[in-house]
Amino acid sequence: MLRTHTCGELRMEHVGTQVALCGWVQRIRDKGGMIWIDLRDRYGITQLILEEGQTAPAILEQARILGREFVVKASGEVIERKSKNPNLPTGDIEIKLAGLDVLNPAKLPPFLIEDETDGGDDLRMKYRYLDLRRGSVRRNLELRHKVAQQTRIYMDGQEFIEVETPVLIKSTPEGARDFVVPSRMNPGEFYALPQSPQTFKQLLMVSGFDRYYQIVKCFRDEDLRADRQPEFTQIDCEMSFIEQEDILQMFEGLVKHLFKTVKNIDLGEVPRMTYAEAMSLYGSDKPDTRFGMKFVELKGLFDTVDLTSGKNFAVFDNAELVVGINAKGCAEYTRKQIDELTDWVKRPQIGAKGLIYFRHNADGTLKSSVDKFYSEEDLKQWSVRFGTEPGDLVLILSGEANKARKQLSELRLEMGSRLKLRDPNQYNVLWVLDFPLLEWGEEEGQPEQGRWFAMHHPFTSPKQEDIALLDTDPGAVRANAYDMVINGTEVGGGSIRIFQRDLQAKMFGVLGFSPEEAKAQFGFLLDAFEYGAPPHGGIAFGFDRLCSIFGGADSIRDFIAFPKNNSGRDVMIDSPSTIAQAQLNELKIAVK
């Protein structure tokens, strides 16, 4: 080894020891008679000291030609540091330099290799190998490593076996778009990269591997945002001879284990909420429960008494739903602040037509933006419904039910952020259960042809008591499905699977597959179910999302070594890119 120690391990007990360190020059401070060099490696930073009359002239001369990010080997004696740095683990010592070898010089980097860098996102992505030297990025990847390590420890302790499933598979019509890979040996035919190992892990259950997991790469050709990448990682799991409760207990245990070992947080029991409750109270199937502001209806599906009718206010009279939230302590918002909120909900991304409000003033009086239509007695009933107190502000949206709920959900999250109620150091974990099995939608490119789509995927089992509804009322069928939500982010989802051939064939039929299409796409799975498929179910966690939540970040890109940008490009290696015509010819692909 070129080094005896790393740049992060030397302490006072090493004083007097002769050592050799290797790393990158973080910074140099030359005060004429004294030179200090901060040497950095993956493990930390150690200060080197050179002094006129104490250090050999040749070493002083060599130190003065060093630049940032030069790769060097430094040797000398560990001494106690006169001016200690309490912010560094190595801040009590320094190295009295006796030898200095330049292992490789370096160009001046295009941005500062420090936690507080001056490099923008695009620049840092172009030089990602330099960005990875920064302590903050390194710590993110160390956290990712620990989450993976502790996942394997827990799963091994529960007798799961890690099995690798294929990366070149068959394209399927359900779900997001596939990335496809042309086959040279089978012209005109294509592999697909897996969106998940779903069918393979079910086949492993048929094979008798009753507890499987895999930390696996998956691929989806979809529009990107902060929490999406074209390639991402899942903790993929499946179990046999279980019911839903067994899955919930097992993987609640995994999440508790990760919180304890990675964050030293005792999570406690994870609460549960049905999909219907989540949509009614939060307008979202992944509610952020770190703060209140639950939805309250003045008119709508869950409202027992319509408190808006008979006042000739068309905005409410013509609405399917009138629903609001109580922003406690916000009655002092100025008209300018409320106008700004109104503009916020009217943005195209939200799509509301306006915002109604009423204040419960500090003196107990009630004042609304619709006083022309609603009396103080009406507002008193509203106040009771919302549970307001002096100082509260109620914000109300109306319209078509699904749209109004989604719009108010976004407004609720925005108010939570503005009021600093979404503390990244607080973790609210939640199970959401009993999703609808199916949702009605239009075929892409064929807006006149609506059909049922699987809300999760076509292998999800319906609730036993709802199976008969597949023939009469498919939209009312509940799925044996569950999601785990942390702080308003879905981090995992799964279901109990269909394991009988007849029920799986029936499900394909409800989804619009002809028997021939079902056999062509999934005949291998249907056939396997005839050879003794056990009851089984599973779950997959978004590994990148889990890491970003543990790291208190919004974007998963910070926890991926070499991520793509928001256009799905790797700007460092300039990918995707064109390929040579000879390769296209071999693949029998014509590019216009």
Side-chain angles (χ1 to χ4, degrees), residues 54 57 145 208 221 238 246 272 288 312 443 467 498 554:
Q54 298 288 322
H145 162 74
D221 188 6
E238 199 80 3
D246 302 304
R272 302 176 183 184
D288 187 343
N312 296 318
E443 284 278 15
I467 290 177
I498 298 170
D554 293 326

Side-chain angles (χ1 to χ4, degrees), residues 28-185:
I28 303 169
R29 299 181 297 284
D30 189 345
K31 300 298 184 182
M34 301 280 286
I35 300 175
W36 292 273
I37 300 170
D38 287 345
L39 190 66
R40 181 195 71 244
D41 65 9
R42 168 187 146 194
Y43 305 94
I45 294 174
T46 297
Q47 181 170 279
L48 316 177
I49 183 170
L50 303 88
E51 186 175 1
E52 294 275 6
Q54 298 288 322
T55 306
I59 296 176
L60 283 166
E61 183 178 345
Q62 192 168 27
R64 288 193 165 103
I65 66 167
L66 294 179
R68 282 181 15 221
E69 300 308 312
F70 273 44
V71 187
V72 302
K73 175 183 177 182
S75 55
E77 182 186 355
V78 181
I79 62 173
E80 184 174 0
R81 189 165 165 172
K82 292 179 180 177
S83 179
K84 293 181 170 58
N85 183 349
N87 298 318
L88 279 181
T90 60
D92 290 341
I93 58 91
E94 56 193 358
I95 308 301
K96 184 178 180 181
L97 212 58
L100 182 64
D101 298 317
V102 176
L103 302 177
N104 211 350
K107 291 170 61 176
L108 184 70
F111 54 86
L112 287 174
I113 312 294
E114 296 182 8
D115 284 5
E116 298 299 324
T117 183
D118 58 355
D121 286 350
D122 290 343
L123 185 63
R124 290 187 291 108
M125 288 303 101
K126 184 176 180 179
Y127 297 95
R128 182 64 168 173
Y129 47 86
L130 297 179
D131 195 40
L132 288 169
R133 294 181 187 173
R134 295 195 302 123
S136 56
V137 182
R138 184 195 71 245
R139 287 188 291 273
N140 288 345
L141 292 186
E142 289 172 345
L143 183 148
R144 182 186 178 97
H145 162 74
K146 188 167 186 180
V147 175
Q149 178 191 56
Q150 290 299 326
T151 296
R152 288 189 165 96
I153 288 172
Y154 178 84
M155 299 302 280
D156 184 63
Q158 299 296 326
E159 299 187 352
F160 282 77
I161 181 171
E162 186 168 9
V163 181
E164 293 177 292
T165 51
V167 174
L168 296 175
I169 66 168
K170 184 184 184 71
S171 182
T172 59
E174 292 290 307
R177 292 184 182 88
D178 289 325
F179 283 101
V180 294
V181 180
S183 170
R184 178 183 60 82
M185 292 183 289

Side-chain angles (χ1 to χ4, degrees), residues 410-473:
E410 295 294 334
L411 178 59
R412 174 182 176 271
L413 293 175
E414 177 66 14
M415 290 303 296
S417 296
R418 293 187 183 202
L419 297 173
K420 295 182 170 49
L421 300 174
R422 304 177 72 186
D423 181 357
N425 297 312
Q426 176 186 345
Y427 297 95
N428 277 35
V429 185
L430 173 73
W431 284 112
V432 179
L433 312 173
D434 296 350
F435 285 80
L437 181 69
L438 304 163
E439 55 187 344
W440 185 260
E442 296 173 345
E443 284 278 15
E444 188 173 343
Q446 301 180 30
E448 303 302 319
Q449 298 185 24
R451 70 172 180 89
W452 291 110
F453 288 83
M455 195 158 185
H456 277 71
H457 54 60
F459 316 108
T460 297
S461 172
K463 291 275 188 182
Q464 188 68 31
E465 58 270 31
D466 291 355
I467 290 177
L469 295 173
L470 285 171
D471 294 318
T472 58
D473 189 5

Side-chain angles (χ1 to χ4, degrees), residues 392-544:
D392 292 348
L393 174 69
V394 171
L395 303 171
I396 301 170
L397 295 176
S398 64
E400 189 270 315
N402 289 337
K403 289 182 180 178
R405 287 191 187 285
K406 189 174 187 309
Q407 291 159 359
L408 189 62
S409 174
E410 295 294 334
L411 178 59
R412 174 182 176 271
L413 293 175
E414 177 66 14
M415 290 303 296
S417 296
R418 293 187 183 202
L419 297 173
K420 295 182 170 49
L421 300 174
R422 304 177 72 186
D423 181 357
N425 297 312
Q426 176 186 345
Y427 297 95
N428 277 35
V429 185
L430 173 73
W431 284 112
V432 179
L433 312 173
D434 296 350
F435 285 80
L437 181 69
L438 304 163
E439 55 187 344
W440 185 260
E442 296 173 345
E443 284 278 15
E444 188 173 343
Q446 301 180 30
E448 303 302 319
Q449 298 185 24
R451 70 172 180 89
W452 291 110
F453 288 83
M455 195 158 185
H456 277 71
H457 54 60
F459 316 108
T460 297
S461 172
K463 291 275 188 182
Q464 188 68 31
E465 58 270 31
D466 291 355
I467 290 177
L469 295 173
L470 285 171
D471 294 318
T472 58
D473 189 5
V477 179
R478 294 167 300 156
N480 228 328
Y482 32 82
D483 280 358
M484 178 171 279
V485 177
I486 302 178
N487 293 355
T489 297
E490 177 203 331
V491 297
S495 66
I496 301 301
R497 322 301 187 189
I498 298 170
F499 67 99
Q500 308 100 328
R501 180 186 177 110
D502 289 348
L503 182 56
Q504 186 64 75
K506 185 181 187 68
M507 182 67 170
F508 286 141
V510 172
L511 295 172
F513 289 77
S514 69
E516 295 74 24
E517 289 171 332
K519 183 169 180 58
Q521 293 289 341
F522 302 107
F524 63 93
L525 186 65
L526 293 170
D527 290 345
F529 285 171
E530 294 187 308
Y531 290 91
H536 60 279
I539 192 169
F541 289 93
F543 182 68
D544 313 294

Side-chain angles (χ1 to χ4, degrees), residues 520-566:
Q521 293 289 341
F522 302 107
F524 63 93
L525 186 65
L526 293 170
D527 290 345
F529 285 171
E530 294 187 308
Y531 290 91
H536 60 279
I539 192 169
F541 289 93
F543 182 68
D544 313 294
R545 288 185 186 179
L546 268 179
C547 293
S548 67
I549 287 172
F550 284 155
D554 293 326
S555 173
I556 65 173
R557 289 198 307 176
D558 298 332
F559 296 82
I560 299 173
F562 298 101
K564 307 292 188 292
N565 68 10
N566 286 341

